Amino acid sequence: MIADLNTKLGTYEGDLASMNELRRKLQIKRDAEAKIKRLTKLFNPKDVEILLTPDSDVILRMKSLNFRSGSAVIPPNTYSMIDHAAESMVLFADRAVRVEGHTDSVGANLFNQKLSERRAEAVKSYLMEKMQGQRVVQAVGFGEEKPIQNNETAQGREKNRRIDIVLLVPRS
């Protein structure tokens, strides 16, 4: 009888731990949603798409940060957009930051991989300068692995030459 009660108690404790974890995740999601509402005032929706992943990571998809084909030079007309991304990083101060570089499918895979890394590093360097080194920012290149548009059209390739700035939920 005592063994049965101990088993039930263990089950209840496990259930309680699961419910507390779900509560924590829900609170993180609610906090992110509230902050995203504030972010929408910083960005023109034509320039930046703000996405919330199922894990509550926030993605700033820099739609108007379209690099010229083969280039890792940040177009000067996009500096203010990246400045706003730096402001977003302040709003999500508890989150790690990952800058993801992407390319279209034109050219060799290895070239595109290195190009995406250079693009991510260029944006990372710009952000670090803006933040005066106060944040750790990781840069990752994905090459042509994660297209968001069809690479068969010039417009699709342009959209795939992009940067995503990911504000990562702290993992417990």
Side-chain angles (χ1 to χ4, degrees):
M1 175 142 160
I2 291 178
D4 289 341
L5 290 174
N6 281 335
T7 301
K8 285 183 181 181
L9 179 62
T11 301
Y12 293 142
E13 287 172 343
D15 290 346
L16 180 61
S18 293
M19 286 183 356
N20 285 337
E21 179 61 14
L22 285 173
R23 248 187 231 113
R24 184 187 76 78
K25 288 181 177 180
L26 181 59
Q27 187 59 48
I28 289 170
K29 185 173 184 106
R30 285 182 179 154
D31 290 346
E33 289 170 342
K35 289 177 181 177
I36 286 172
K37 284 183 183 176
R38 292 169 58 190
L39 288 183
T40 58
K41 295 174 182 155
L42 288 176
F43 298 106
N44 181 334
K46 291 180 184 178
D47 296 331
V48 177
E49 183 177 7
I50 303 168
L51 306 166
L52 182 63
T53 70
D55 292 332
S56 297
D57 294 332
V58 175
I59 300 172
L60 304 176
R61 175 148 297 147
M62 312 301 275
K63 296 190 310 185
S64 293
L65 180 56
N66 299 114
F67 293 90
R68 289 183 45 226
S69 185
S71 173
V73 175
I74 298 172
N77 66 323
T78 63
Y79 292 155
S80 65
M81 184 174 48
I82 302 171
D83 293 344
H84 290 307
E87 292 176 44
S88 302
M89 292 166 53
V90 171
L91 188 60
F92 286 91
D94 63 330
R95 294 180 177 226
V97 179
R98 182 177 62 220
V99 177
E100 298 179 348
H102 301 272
T103 67
D104 59 29
S105 63
V106 174
N109 288 347
L110 182 59
F111 175 82
N112 285 336
Q113 178 61 40
K114 296 291 184 193
L115 179 60
S116 69
E117 291 168 8
R118 289 195 330 266
R119 288 176 176 168
E121 281 294 332
V123 174
K124 172 189 169 181
S125 295
Y126 184 91
L127 285 170
M128 296 291 291
E129 187 175 313
K130 276 297 195 197
M131 302 292 294
Q132 299 175 343
Q134 296 175 358
R135 289 291 289 274
V136 174
V137 178
Q138 176 189 20
V140 178
F142 287 103
E144 57 192 67
E145 288 180 33
K146 297 183 176 186
I148 58 171
Q149 293 287 317
N150 186 333
N151 274 304
E152 300 302 314
T153 67
Q155 183 181 21
R157 288 188 297 276
E158 180 180 331
K159 294 201 181 299
N160 290 332
R161 295 188 300 267
R162 72 186 190 284
I163 289 290
D164 289 340
I165 297 174
V166 185
L167 307 167
L168 300 159
V169 169
R171 306 294 182 220
S172 59

